Amino acid sequence: EKDINLRFALMLGEMLEDKGFEVLYTRTDDTFIPLEERTGDANVRKADLFLSIHCNSNPLGNLQGIETYSLGKVSNDEAARVARRENGGTERTTGDLDVIITDLLLYSKIEESADLAKVVHGSLVKSVKQEFTVRDHGTRTALFHVLIGSKMPAILLELGYLSHPEEAKRLNSDEYLEQTALGIVQGVLQYKESLAQFAER
């Protein structure tokens, strides 16, 4: 997963830079960064958006599809499972619950993140479906440690299931990754345009 995520993030970053965005990477090599440090770094560097890139997995091996998450109450059992899996790389403990709730109330851009998730996810699915048959699991919410405390709209993208043989093959192909990245870039552009229109009102 880490190799695909890095490969994809660099591809996505290059596409965003081609559209005039300044891209700040959490990592550009095979270095593990604790989840809470990723958001903290984005806050310190005053990023405008935070995109967390992931590939999904399920022990049954039969699940496949694309889903996009923003921070919030757990929307269903599958969202809870994905959050538990992705939160495995955190140094936080359950004793940090008060801090987490404070972060949610004071800092997290919950509504803006939900809006970003809907726009980017819709664009992502539309782009991928032009070339591939994929399942759309929509947007969901859960308590992802990597998103907690973000002072900018933040989303977590699950690009597909590595535990599904067909989807794993796609996730290892440049064609699929490029089509996926294109959809995300178009979504970010749409979100930026919607903010500009709102500011003009």
Side-chain angles (χ1 to χ4, degrees):
E1 180 190 9
K2 64 184 176 63
D3 295 331
I4 292 173
N5 291 349
L6 178 58
R7 177 177 158 203
F8 179 79
L10 295 174
M11 182 186 295
L12 174 63
E14 187 175 333
M15 287 187 182
L16 286 167
E17 287 170 342
D18 287 344
K19 295 294 182 181
F21 291 96
E22 179 185 0
V23 178
L24 306 173
Y25 296 94
T26 300
R27 66 185 179 104
T28 56
D29 57 23
D30 190 12
T31 302
F32 176 75
I33 309 294
L35 298 178
E36 51 271 24
E37 288 185 20
R38 302 176 196 183
T39 319
D41 185 50
N43 287 337
V44 168
R45 296 163 84 180
K46 301 187 185 304
D48 295 312
L49 296 177
F50 182 83
L51 307 177
S52 190
I53 307 298
H54 300 263
C55 294
N56 219 328
S57 181
N58 185 284
L60 299 177
N62 60 350
L63 279 180
Q64 58 180 307
I66 301 170
E67 55 217 54
T68 303
Y69 290 88
S70 60
L71 191 64
K73 292 181 180 179
V74 176
S75 52
N76 57 30
D77 290 343
E78 180 60 13
R81 185 197 66 78
V82 174
R84 282 194 302 272
R85 178 179 175 273
E86 297 297 356
N87 288 342
T90 185
E91 295 177 359
R92 289 188 175 114
T93 66
T94 52
D96 295 323
L97 186 58
D98 288 341
V99 175
I100 290 170
I101 291 172
T102 300
D103 278 347
L104 280 171
L105 294 174
L106 295 180
Y107 303 116
S108 299
K109 302 280 188 176
I110 292 179
E111 288 185 19
E112 295 93 330
S113 296
D115 291 341
L116 176 63
K118 287 175 187 173
V119 173
V120 170
H121 183 81
S123 177
L124 163 59
V125 170
K126 181 179 178 182
S127 177
V128 172
K129 282 191 171 182
Q130 290 176 13
E131 302 290 337
F132 301 91
T133 301
V134 294
R135 291 187 183 174
D136 175 13
H137 294 297
T139 58
R140 298 171 174 176
T141 56
L143 290 172
F144 288 96
H145 287 279
V146 73
L147 302 180
I148 289 172
S150 169
K151 296 181 182 180
M152 73 290 299
I155 59 175
L156 185 147
L157 298 130
E158 294 283 3
L159 307 181
Y161 283 77
L162 285 171
S163 51
H164 189 278
E166 182 182 337
E167 203 147 83
K169 190 181 294 185
R170 281 202 299 251
L171 286 163
N172 277 288
S173 74
D174 282 342
E175 185 182 4
Y176 180 78
L177 294 182
E178 286 171 3
Q179 200 67 29
T180 302
L182 182 62
I184 294 173
V185 170
Q186 291 301 319
V188 170
L189 286 169
Q190 288 172 30
Y191 183 75
K192 180 184 176 184
E193 289 170 8
S194 70
L195 291 181
Q197 290 172 2
F198 182 78
E200 290 172 0
R201 292 177 187 172

